[in-house]
Amino acid sequence: MASFSRSYINLSFLVVAMVMAMAADRVRGRFQPSPWSLAHATFYGDEGASETMGGACGYGNLFGTGYGTDTAALSTTLFNNGYGCGTCYQIRCYGSPHCYRGSPFTTVTATNLCPPNWFQDSNNGGWCNPPRVHFDMSKPAFMQIADWKAGIVPVMYRRVPCLRDGGIRFQFQGNWYWLLVYVMNVGGGGDIASMWVKGCHTDWISMSHNWGAAYQAFASLGGQSLSFKITSYSTQETVIAWNAAPSNWYVGMTYEANVNFN
């Protein structure tokens, strides 16, 4: 009887600890996977994924910026005017004879926009026409789940946390009076809702969303070390990258901060 009581107490403590951990995740804004949903997927480019470099999010060379070939262009609905940039999805082929056996899934990062094609029917060529949810994957990513000869396959997908090595990266463009920043390697939800910059001689300055993963500030920031404050679109969690760029920063450089979302 005593042994049963101890086991019951230990189990109770375990359950309480799990509930507290889940509550802590919510408090911290940690991103949780979404339920599985249905969509379709195609691919673009070749096996080397050279055509997928660049893209509407502004990540440039995806090998150099750490995204590689496990990427996808999102239909307008998912792209969300650029706020979908950097989000991560698990995708598996579903219900097609072209699906690989065992229904393997691959995880991709959104790096591009699949634009509408209003000259084609949404079910016959206009795959990315709203309100369709569609993934135009790199060919290497598509080939992980289905035979590429299929062209298009039905898929199941879900949002998942983005697991990133290192901190958030800021690539600078513009000049000392107009700072344009491409934000990369964002963990957690992977997305950005709002962003601020602070020079060592200024207060926090709100940055406007330019396009994709790019934010801009019209301010005189030359010769100042710069800090950034970023809020996630998915979780509303905010992180601050203090002194992310030194006072001698210049455009064309990428600076990495020692912070990231969970």
Side-chain angles (χ1 to χ4, degrees):
M1 185 65 177
S3 175
F4 173 80
S5 299
R6 285 195 297 271
S7 298
Y8 179 79
I9 292 172
N10 290 338
L11 180 59
S12 298
F13 278 131
L14 178 60
V15 171
V16 170
M18 291 175 63
V19 171
M20 291 178 65
M22 292 173 63
D25 282 352
R26 288 193 293 270
V27 169
R28 288 194 295 265
R30 183 172 295 175
F31 187 79
Q32 301 296 321
S34 70
W36 290 95
S37 300
L38 298 176
H40 284 80
T42 50
F43 68 88
Y44 69 113
D46 57 17
E47 287 86 345
S50 58
E51 289 87 350
T52 66
M53 297 298 109
C57 290
Y59 294 138
N61 186 308
L62 300 179
F63 293 111
T65 51
Y67 295 105
T69 61
D70 291 333
T71 63
L74 304 182
S75 61
T76 305
T77 301
L78 290 177
F79 190 73
N80 191 22
N81 292 320
Y83 290 106
C85 287
T87 52
C88 297
Y89 296 86
Q90 283 182 346
I91 302 175
R92 67 193 331 153
C93 186
Y94 174 78
S96 167
H98 299 285
C99 297
Y100 288 147
R101 295 184 61 179
S103 297
F105 65 79
T106 186
T107 302
V108 297
T109 300
T111 60
N112 204 353
L113 167 68
C114 180
N117 182 353
W118 301 116
F119 297 101
Q120 299 289 336
D121 184 87
S122 296
N123 295 309
N124 186 23
W127 310 121
C128 292
N129 295 349
R132 286 184 66 104
V133 174
H134 190 86
F135 298 90
D136 199 14
M137 305 169 67
S138 73
K139 190 173 183 180
F142 187 91
M143 291 171 63
Q144 295 179 44
I145 61 171
D147 184 347
W148 67 271
K149 295 179 182 179
I152 181 171
V153 293
V155 297
M156 297 180 67
Y157 75 96
R158 65 174 181 171
R159 281 280 307 275
V160 293
C162 296
L163 305 178
R164 302 297 183 207
D165 293 327
I168 298 175
R169 297 170 190 157
F170 306 92
Q171 184 185 84
F172 287 12
Q173 298 296 331
N175 53 56
W176 279 24
Y177 306 98
W178 169 61
L179 180 63
L180 181 67
V181 180
Y182 291 92
V183 188
M184 301 173 287
N185 204 52
V186 180
D191 48 19
I192 301 169
S194 51
M195 184 171 168
W196 298 260
V197 60
K198 184 184 185 311
C200 58
H201 303 305
T202 73
D203 292 326
W204 286 107
I205 299 169
S206 178
M207 303 182 73
S208 59
H209 184 212
N210 182 281
W211 180 252
Y215 285 76
Q216 62 189 358
F218 295 91
S220 179
L221 296 168
Q224 300 183 62
S225 59
L226 302 181
S227 302
F228 295 97
K229 181 165 58 174
I230 300 171
T231 298
S232 166
Y233 191 94
S234 297
T235 67
Q236 296 303 300
E237 180 186 6
T238 298
V239 297
I240 298 179
W242 292 106
N243 299 315
S247 59
N248 63 342
W249 61 265
Y250 57 95
V251 298
M253 290 295 295
T254 300
Y255 300 94
E256 182 171 347
N258 190 28
V259 295
N260 216 322
F261 294 101
N262 292 322

